[in-house]
Amino acid sequence: MSLVLARRVQRPVLSRFGWLMGLYAENHARLQRLFEVADLGCGTYASSIGDGLDVNLIVIEQHAYTTELRMSYGMIDPQTGLADPSASLRLYRDARQVEATHCYMGRRWQDVIGMYPPPSRILDHRLRMNTFLGKWLQYLAEQGHGVATLRKDGEKVGIGA
């Protein structure tokens, strides 16, 4: 009887952390294609496509390698007074990544994962936030939002503006 040795093929395994870093890179590409955020100055911007659901961007800080911003719709949660949904983002120009540091979708992070969550729960939450961000950015692009629809607050839109 001959003995046949089965050869195991090693497939690369992507860890949850590796998956998260991939999401950060995809979201950077989507956000840059959509609004070219790295080129915007500090201030408040709105993207309007005429559907009554404007997207608001607030560029909070521009540093040498990072940009801090907040993205939301022009809707306010009547119970909390916060923009809903909204996302706080950090764009890393040198690493070409965008991280959703906080998302508000009807609940605060403390209500979702607790005050002192274990690291695995924090990683899971970051995966969910950044997956949400990627889908939101893709949806905005499909609806027609982009650089052409983005205006800084106080700028007029229209002919002769």
Side-chain angles (χ1 to χ4, degrees):
M1 203 183 323
S2 79
L3 181 62
V4 177
L5 296 175
R7 206 169 105 177
R8 292 185 91 179
V9 177
Q10 291 288 342
R11 293 186 191 136
V13 177
L14 188 60
S15 68
R16 290 184 314 155
F17 181 73
W19 186 268
L20 182 61
M21 293 299 106
L23 282 174
Y24 287 178
E26 287 176 15
N27 289 342
H28 178 273
R30 284 187 176 120
L31 186 62
Q32 274 302 102
R33 266 194 316 267
L34 194 61
F35 295 125
E36 297 178 4
V37 173
D39 300 332
L40 298 176
C42 292
T44 303
Y45 300 82
S47 174
S48 179
I49 58 172
D51 64 352
L53 199 55
D54 294 352
V55 175
N56 298 324
L57 283 178
I58 302 171
V59 179
I60 300 165
E61 291 286 335
Q62 284 280 22
H63 301 285
Y65 300 104
T66 60
T67 301
E68 299 278 338
L69 64 140
R70 193 166 299 122
M71 187 171 85
S72 66
Y73 280 121
M75 300 184 302
I76 302 296
D77 182 345
Q79 293 178 338
T80 63
L82 299 173
D84 185 16
S86 66
S88 295
L89 310 175
R90 185 174 296 131
L91 181 139
Y92 301 95
R93 277 194 283 294
D94 55 344
R96 295 180 184 245
Q97 295 189 326
V98 169
E99 171 188 19
T101 58
H102 296 83
C103 284
Y104 180 78
M105 297 168 280
R107 299 189 304 172
R108 296 175 189 239
W109 68 266
Q110 299 93 330
D111 300 328
V112 176
I113 62 174
M115 285 300 292
Y116 303 103
S120 64
R121 191 175 299 155
I122 293 171
L123 184 59
D124 287 341
H125 184 64
R126 290 206 178 272
L127 280 166
R128 282 192 305 274
M129 284 191 307
N130 286 281
T131 299
F132 162 76
L133 175 62
K135 289 180 180 182
W136 192 13
L137 293 171
Q138 183 176 348
Y139 173 77
L140 293 174
E142 289 169 358
Q143 295 301 306
H145 288 279
V147 176
T149 63
L150 192 65
R151 301 284 183 259
K152 189 165 184 167
D153 267 8
E155 284 185 359
K156 292 183 180 181
V157 180
I159 299 172

